[in-house]
Structure formats: C-alpha cells, structure tokens
Amino acid sequence: MKKISFLILLLSFVNQNIFAQDEPNPITTAAPFLLIAPDARAGGMGDIGGATSPDANSLHYNAAKYAFSPAQYNIGVNYTPWMRNLTNDVFVGNVSFSNRINERSAWATSITYFSLGTIELTDDSGQIIGSENPNEFAIDGAYALKLSETFSMGVVLRYIRSDYTLHIDNSDIQTVNTFAVDLNGYYQSEEMNYGEFNGKWHGGFNISNVGPKVELIEGGDESFIPTNLKLGGGFDFILDDVNVITANLEINKLLVPTPPIIDNQTGEIIAGKDDNVGFAKGMIQSFYDAPDGFSEELKEVAWALGAEYVYNKTFAVRTGYFHENDMKGGRQYFTLGAGFKFRSSTLDVSYLINSSDVTNPLESTLRFSLSFNLGELYEYF
C-alpha cells in the first residue's frame, strides 16, 4: 500500500534534495534518473565510466568510446532495483545496442526506463480512488568517430519523457516531453613500455543532457534538466599477458545554477545569483553563482575513484568510492563488483556499501548486467 505521500518522499530521494548539515544548498533538477548509472560494471567502480575501456554500456557515460569498441556489435541488458529496503517494484532498466561500422566509426542506441511502481491514491477518509504508475524513460541515439588513432568524439541525441501525471480532479502535474544532446570525447594512448610493465593512458569528457528547461507543474516555474560535466582519466597497468590493473579518477559537476539564498520576507536575493535564466546561460552561470563563492563551487564537484583487475580477459574484480559534499546531497559510498566473461557474453555484478548518514537507494542491493559481444573482435576485454 503506497500513497501520494510516499511518491513525494521517493522523489525527494531521487532529486537528492537531502539536508545533511551546515545549511545544505543542493541543486535539484527534473528527470534526475538520467544521472543514475545503469550497469553493474561501472556500479562496481564507484559509478565511474567516462574514461574506462569501452563496453556495451558506454552510451550513458561517454559515447565516443564506441569508436574503440573491441567488438563489432555490443548488446547490454541492465536491471537495478531502486530503494529495495522500502518497496519491491521500483527499478531502473536499460537496454543498449552498438555497431562498430568500421575501424573509425560506430553508432549506438539505448532505452532507459525508470519505474516508480504502482502508487495507490486515497481520499481524505483513506478510501482507494485509483492507482497510478509514474515513470520516466529516455531513448538515445549516438554516433562516434575516430579523429586520430588515439582520440575520438561522439554526439548523442536524447528524447526524454517524464510522466508523474495523476488522473484525478484538480491535478496540475503534467507530462514532460523534451530533447537533449550530449557531446563527448575519448582518448586512448598506444601501449607503451614502463620498464617492468606496459601501460595505456586513457581520458574522457562528456557534457550530457544539454537541453531546454521543462515545466513539471502547469503554470509553475520551469526546471532545469540535469546537464552534467564529466571528466575522467585512468591508466592500465599491463603486467603481462594475463594480468591487467586499471586505476581511474572521475569528477562530475552539474551545469545547473545554484539556488540563491532569498529573504523570506522581502523575496530579495541575499547571496548568489538569480537562477531564473535560460538553460544556456545557466550552464555558464553554474561555474560562478554559488552563494558562498568559490568554496561552494568546489563543493559542487563530486569525485570518484575506481579500480579494476582483469585476469586472462575472463574474470574481473572491481572496487570504487564515490564522494559528494554534505552540502550538495551527501552521497558517499564504497562499491564492490565482479565480472565473468564467457565466449561472447559477460555477466557483471556490483554491491554498494553506504558510508554516509544519508540513506542511499541502492543500499544492500545487488545489481546485475549482461552484455554480449558479437562479430569481429578488434582488441581488448
């Protein structure tokens, strides 16, 4: 049995509008499901994926990686239970497909679906008056092209639908339909010798979900979608023919204006800048508009560390850590994961260990991903 109040609670978790300490000032957006890591491989490395080696689920993190994909075709199927400690019918599902057309280019598509389960509606006396199944989904199309032997760029077009509409009298919640684009790049060096081992450097960036503001409440203020800047880098320690260790670092920053501090009596802005601006100006303003100045801007940068050990291109062990400042949501957690590669398929699992006082929707939850690598192999695991 779930009521509208539970839906409001759930949305507050998803939007990361979590009050931790020291007068938090988190940034909230529409369609925050777009930032949820869909797969267990990244989930085992602190949700890192912007500069890791290409795989079936690269579209979510950095579509430019598909130009370096080791297989001609990749299929990814992912399932993530959400807030499993409270309910059993809320989840994120994702399916992706990519085709490396030739040695220089590739295209990909994916569908991500976020279900908030069945919400039973009741009147003031507690009588059930109906039920709703609020949900959100996105459909992506991507193209990646190698500009050199070591660098590629990609572009993504994304259709987004957010449906929290309640089919009851006097409901002003409306369905959102919008489009957004991503622009990304990926660098992968040639293998070089470093004395007792060989190695590869890799790096990547992704500016994702660039698109117009949306109106969630009819006649209400418009909300930003989660435009995000992702920067990552890493190094492959190729110890020998069967042992590879990869270390990665990644940072993320929402390119969305910081809410200003407003005088409750006069409505005037005390600190910060007016966040009622267009999405393009909002992206630029997001770098200098925090009420507490540059120190708060730094707090808006979330960072993560991830590591992966691959044995004989058939078995992988992973770990990671994700950190978000307490003033900006307070998500902090460790992750563990493993991967098992068969002839043309890979099974990945991950587990999250919360290290914050803030409840995490993925606490005590196993995540699973299944991917298939088909066609001519170019290189790598």
Side-chain angles (χ1 to χ4, degrees), residues 262-306:
I262 299 176
D263 189 306
N264 293 329
Q265 295 181 342
T266 65
E268 296 181 354
I269 296 176
I270 301 174
K273 294 185 177 295
D274 185 4
D275 60 350
N276 186 22
V277 297
F279 77 93
K281 182 177 180 180
M283 291 174 61
I284 300 172
Q285 182 175 305
S286 67
F287 288 99
Y288 62 85
D289 64 351
D292 198 27
F294 184 68
S295 63
E296 185 174 346
E297 293 290 352
L298 290 178
K299 294 175 182 176
E300 293 179 355
V301 177
W303 56 271
L305 299 170

Side-chain angles (χ1 to χ4, degrees), residues 233-246:
F235 185 78
D236 295 338
F237 296 86
I238 305 174
L239 305 181
D240 51 41
D241 291 339
V242 297
N243 295 283
V244 179
I245 299 175
T246 301

